[in-house]
Amino acid sequence: MASAAKSDRISYAILTAPALLIYGLVIVIPVVYSLVLSFTDWAGAGIPNFIGFTNYVVMFSDPIFWWGLRNNGLVILVSLIGQIPLGFFLAYVIYRRLVRGAGFFEAVIFFPALLSPVVVALLFGVVFAPTGLVSQIIGRAINDPMFSLTIFNSKNTAILPYLIVLLWMYTGIYFIIFLANLQKTSPEMLEAAVLDGANEWHILKSLILPQQVPVFLTSAIYAVAGSLKSFEILWIMTNGGPSYYSSVLGLYMIQNTFSFYKYGFGSAISVVLILLSVFLILILSAIAARFTRVYEEGTH
């Protein structure tokens, strides 16, 4: 018996060691290195000097940090109340065959997610330019051929084009996730509900939505993690400008680290981003556990 248990432990160690080694090399060590570096003034060369919490004090007193955090909050909101509900709605319409040409719409909805972020950024940079497509459409609608779009010039609206791009580009990912999970729904159960007189709203509310709760919450965790690290489209579209009006924390970190050679300061921003991600994911996980428990209790 003891020999078998020892053999199981050895097998377990052999099977898990490669994954743990890779996780340590690509996750744990870089995080610990960033944490240590965040307490220094390292500029990318020479010996770093320990400066305590100076980078954090400077960061939390910088209005660009708080504005970037505000914009990150807007990105998360667009993901949670825009991309995910819209992705589910489109998936439900396609799954229930409420429109003709389901295959065509599946391809059209998912297509933006396949595009390169560079291509998307250049495309929408032209669309939202002062004399771009949106400007010309509005100009024709109000009969003003000299109309110029100034959405990037306002501190409060400079981030809007980026939010629209995110909604257009990534809704297709959640659409596919929900569509794949809707395929697991029993057709016999839906047919029985229809025979019992249930309309489309009752089917959605009583049969479909309860089954999709774990998918909603998993998608929310994915959306939060992706929202905090996204910056590449914004970097190409506006580079955070004008001034810092459209900046997010990821771009704020990149600019300080690689443009201003403030590696210690950039590391402090990365540590805050990691802590923020973990905090939000823990909250969502707690909500997911609660909803799952309520759903399981309701099914018994």
Side-chain angles (χ1 to χ4, degrees), residues 33 61 69 92 104 115 136 164-165 169 199-200 241 244 278:
Y33 182 70
S61 61
L69 185 61
Y92 183 77
F104 169 76
L115 295 176
Q136 293 184 25
I164 294 172
V165 171
M169 187 172 182
N199 58 28
E200 202 62 44
Y244 56 86
V278 172

Side-chain angles (χ1 to χ4, degrees), residues 93-117:
V93 169
I94 297 298
Y95 171 70
R96 294 288 294 157
R97 295 293 189 266
L98 300 180
V99 295
R100 295 181 179 178
F104 169 76
F105 286 110
E106 287 178 18
V108 169
I109 295 169
F110 188 63
F111 175 71
L114 301 176
L115 295 176
S116 163

Side-chain angles (χ1 to χ4, degrees), residues 119-157:
V119 174
V120 173
L122 294 175
L123 173 65
F124 279 90
V126 174
V127 169
F128 289 104
T131 57
L133 178 62
V134 174
S135 178
Q136 293 184 25
I137 292 174
I138 296 175
R140 289 180 181 275
I142 63 175
N143 197 25
D144 181 5
M146 301 302 292
F147 178 81
S148 177
L149 190 67
T150 58
I151 193 170
F152 285 117
N153 296 342
S154 169
K155 184 177 182 179
N156 293 318
T157 61

Side-chain angles (χ1 to χ4, degrees), residues 6-241:
K6 182 179 180 181
S7 178
D8 289 343
R9 285 197 296 271
I10 293 175
S11 300
Y12 179 78
I14 293 174
L15 291 172
T16 58
L20 291 175
L21 179 62
I22 293 173
Y23 182 81
L25 288 174
V26 303
I27 301 294
V28 177
I29 292 178
V31 169
V32 173
Y33 182 70
S34 292
L35 179 63
V36 173
L37 211 58
S38 70
F39 295 107
T40 72
D41 62 352
W42 195 51
I47 300 175
N49 297 312
F50 180 76
I51 57 173
F53 287 91
T54 301
N55 285 328
Y56 291 94
V57 173
V58 172
M59 177 175 59
F60 289 133
S61 61
D62 187 352
I64 301 178
F65 168 81
W66 292 107
W67 195 257
L69 185 61
R70 173 256 192 193
N71 286 341
N72 268 113
L74 292 176
V75 172
I76 292 174
L77 282 179
V78 165
S79 299
L80 294 180
I81 66 175
Q83 295 169 354
I84 294 176
L86 184 57
F88 170 75
F89 171 76
L90 295 172
Y92 183 77
V93 169
I94 297 298
Y95 171 70
R96 294 288 294 157
R97 295 293 189 266
L98 300 180
V99 295
R100 295 181 179 178
F104 169 76
F105 286 110
E106 287 178 18
V108 169
I109 295 169
F110 188 63
F111 175 71
L114 301 176
L115 295 176
S116 163
V118 176
V119 174
V120 173
L122 294 175
L123 173 65
F124 279 90
V126 174
V127 169
F128 289 104
T131 57
L133 178 62
V134 174
S135 178
Q136 293 184 25
I137 292 174
I138 296 175
R140 289 180 181 275
I142 63 175
N143 197 25
D144 181 5
M146 301 302 292
F147 178 81
S148 177
L149 190 67
T150 58
I151 193 170
F152 285 117
N153 296 342
S154 169
K155 184 177 182 179
N156 293 318
T157 61
I159 194 68
L160 286 181
Y162 178 58
L163 300 178
I164 294 172
V165 171
L166 293 179
L167 184 64
W168 176 80
M169 187 172 182
Y170 293 113
T171 296
I173 292 179
Y174 300 105
F175 164 75
I176 289 297
I177 292 173
F178 281 113
L179 187 60
N181 281 278
L182 285 171
Q183 307 294 335
K184 301 176 182 176
T185 305
S186 169
E188 293 78 11
M189 180 181 67
L190 297 179
E191 291 174 3
V194 172
L195 291 175
D196 287 341
N199 58 28
E200 202 62 44
W201 168 244
H202 288 129
I203 292 175
L204 173 64
K205 178 185 175 184
S206 303
L207 298 179
I208 300 297
L209 280 177
Q211 294 183 1
Q212 298 300 313
V213 168
V215 185
F216 270 103
L217 296 167
T218 304
S219 298
I221 293 173
Y222 176 74
V224 168
S227 299
L228 288 174
K229 69 180 182 182
S230 66
F231 72 92
E232 62 272 34
I233 295 177
L234 190 61
W235 192 6
I236 298 171
M237 282 183 68
T238 67
N239 196 24

Side-chain angles (χ1 to χ4, degrees), residues 240-263:
S243 187
Y244 56 86
Y245 298 164
S246 63
S247 183
V248 294
L249 291 184
L251 185 57
Y252 180 53
M253 177 185 66
I254 292 294
Q255 289 172 331
N256 276 283
T257 304
F258 299 108
S259 298
F260 307 139
Y261 301 103
K262 297 161 66 174
Y263 286 80

